[in-house]
Amino acid sequence: MSKQPRPSFATTVVADITGVSPQGVNPDQALWPNAGTIRPANEAGVAKSEPTLAMQDAGKQANLSNKDSLYDKDIKPEKIVFSNKLEAATYLKLQQLATYGGENIQEILEAALTAYFEGKEEASRPLPPKVLTVLRKKYPFL
């Protein structure tokens, strides 16, 4: 018995905003996108070697602390990791949707925030120069 692909929540919300029709998502592919992919030994759970001195020096030259450096994290430099507090019930629903609906939490949050920003004039106002300078020191790609 095979499940029928269905559009994800994030894709549906974006489609509602942009008018582009969503494509179906296979739930198995959404939950386990890397299933069957063979990774090199250093990514497959084998113990990682310590970062090289060149990597550490590069991080120090960029005035980054170890927690802010990206050499050992699996994120793109254009993405910012942040956290916030959610109500327990909201977090539970988010996890339920991710688990049973085959949704990606990052896509859900991105779509929800983008939809929330629509019509909010404050969201499109430029930041004051001092605030922007502080953010650009930490995130130069802004």
Side-chain angles (χ1 to χ4, degrees):
M1 181 167 83
S2 176
K3 294 181 181 179
Q4 294 295 324
R6 66 186 185 103
S8 72
F9 171 78
T11 307
T12 305
V13 170
V14 171
D16 289 344
I17 293 170
T18 62
V20 177
S21 63
Q23 298 176 355
V25 174
N26 181 336
D28 291 334
Q29 181 64 25
L31 287 173
W32 300 285
N34 296 327
T37 305
I38 299 174
R39 297 182 182 170
N42 63 350
E43 292 180 21
V46 177
K48 288 185 178 181
S49 63
E50 288 299 315
T52 63
L53 289 176
M55 288 181 187
Q56 290 175 346
D57 289 340
K60 288 178 185 175
Q61 288 174 355
N63 293 327
L64 297 175
S65 68
N66 281 342
K67 99 176 180 181
D68 291 331
S69 62
L70 300 176
Y71 65 83
D72 62 346
K73 295 183 181 176
D74 189 24
I75 60 171
K76 295 182 179 178
E78 302 85 32
K79 303 218 179 220
I80 296 173
V81 176
F82 79 102
S83 65
N84 208 326
K85 295 178 183 175
L86 292 175
E87 293 290 328
T90 304
Y91 181 75
L92 182 62
K93 287 184 183 208
L94 185 62
Q95 288 296 334
Q96 288 169 329
L97 184 58
T99 301
Y100 297 119
E103 304 287 343
N104 180 315
I105 292 177
Q106 182 178 343
E107 290 177 7
I108 294 168
L109 293 175
E110 188 75 31
L113 287 171
T114 302
Y116 182 78
F117 294 147
E118 289 295 318
K120 302 275 186 191
E121 185 178 317
E122 297 85 5
S124 60
R125 287 179 56 192
L127 287 171
K130 288 183 180 180
V131 174
L132 190 57
T133 301
V134 170
L135 286 175
R136 284 194 172 146
K137 282 183 181 176
K138 189 167 183 179
Y139 307 108
F141 51 87
L142 287 178

